[in-house]
Amino acid sequence: MVIQAVHVPESVEAVVSHSARGGLLMGGGTVVMPLVNGGSAGVTELVSLRRAGMGGIEVRDGVATIGAAATLAAVGAHPGLAFLRPALRTIASPTIRNQATVGGNLFVAQPYGDLAVCLLALDATCEIAGPAGRREAPVADVLSAGIAPGEVAVAVRVTLPEPGTWHYHKAMRRRLNSAAVVTVASVTSAGDCRIALGGVAPRPVRAVSAERLLRGRPLTHESLTEAGEAARADIDPFDDAYASAWYRARVLPVHLRRAFLP
């Protein structure tokens, strides 16, 4: 199909209207434009989000509201989200981060989408707009089931982690600008443990087996190695140009441990 129209709506309601009629949403274009240029987008209309008022970032009373059209670079530059900077710096290149958006990262296939792994670990919620109005949904549900046709992810909301509870580690083939072999993100404190994994399943997943083992236990080499072994029950690894499914499963315990004990 050939693109015949590009819409640049100036409100969320207008974005929803165009999306409901079959337009393909485009934030930074880092995923959509390769499809368009390769002739595999499957649509005739694009809907740009750059003027729809969805790029804001607000941090207030320990909660961050991040617009779906906010770029990864903007998130990394925000002083209230400094804990995410090490994770964001592992995603692609500065050029890509200047264009790629938070909303787009939610829907990109693995082994990409490392911010989505972080949002899953942070137990974020997603504000979704559609023909029937707006609703809230856990990011976990959006990652596993997507959203309905015609709906639009407007923003994500994150409760900021307490100091010392956030952990992140990404194994890559290169030091920077490479897709994940294994990504681990976690919020872990004395009373709670959430661990999200990327690169080891078609979508980011919670390592619920590892979480159960770590609750109430000190984060030692032994307990983390045991948790990493248990986490293999939660993954569905795949082969790609970066690593085999066997290798991803094999090294998962090592990298889960390194997220907590570098």
Side-chain angles (χ1 to χ4, degrees), residues 12-72:
V12 172
E13 291 72 23
V15 171
V16 170
S17 178
H18 286 298
S19 177
R21 293 198 296 268
L24 179 61
L25 301 182
M26 183 175 72
T30 58
V31 173
V32 171
M33 287 311 299
L35 297 177
V36 171
N37 293 334
S40 58
V43 298
T44 60
E45 298 185 5
L46 297 180
V47 185
S48 171
L49 304 180
R50 64 190 179 93
R51 294 182 183 172
M54 296 166 56
I57 302 173
E58 180 182 66
V59 178
R60 179 182 299 175
D61 299 328
V63 176
T65 300
I66 308 170
T71 66
L72 303 189

Side-chain angles (χ1 to χ4, degrees), residues 164-212:
T165 64
W166 173 249
H167 307 274
Y168 179 85
H169 174 72
K170 178 179 175 181
M172 301 175 281
R173 287 297 185 188
R174 298 191 302 271
R175 185 168 178 267
L176 295 172
N177 195 11
S178 178
V181 173
V182 176
T183 302
V184 182
S186 177
V187 178
T188 301
S189 61
D192 194 16
C193 180
R194 292 192 304 274
I195 303 173
L197 304 174
V200 292
R203 302 297 299 164
V205 294
R206 284 277 293 272
V208 293
S209 300
E211 293 171 357
R212 283 195 294 267

Side-chain angles (χ1 to χ4, degrees), residues 77-91:
H78 196 286
L81 299 172
F83 75 98
L84 283 174
R85 286 175 191 160
L88 291 164
R89 287 172 183 157
T90 72
I91 301 174

Side-chain angles (χ1 to χ4, degrees), residues 90-182:
T90 72
I91 301 174
S93 65
T95 301
I96 295 297
R97 294 195 296 270
N98 283 335
Q99 294 179 268
T101 62
V102 172
N105 207 259
L106 281 176
F107 300 103
V108 72
Q110 291 289 292
Y112 307 98
D114 294 307
L115 180 61
V117 180
C118 295
L119 294 175
L120 180 59
L122 289 162
D123 202 24
T125 60
C126 188
E127 180 184 350
I128 299 167
R134 301 201 184 197
R135 65 183 179 92
E136 297 275 335
V139 160
D141 291 351
V142 174
L143 290 173
S144 62
I147 57 179
E151 289 189 323
V152 177
V154 176
V156 294
R157 291 189 179 85
V158 173
T159 299
L160 303 184
E162 294 295 326
T165 64
W166 173 249
H167 307 274
Y168 179 85
H169 174 72
K170 178 179 175 181
M172 301 175 281
R173 287 297 185 188
R174 298 191 302 271
R175 185 168 178 267
L176 295 172
N177 195 11
S178 178
V181 173
V182 176

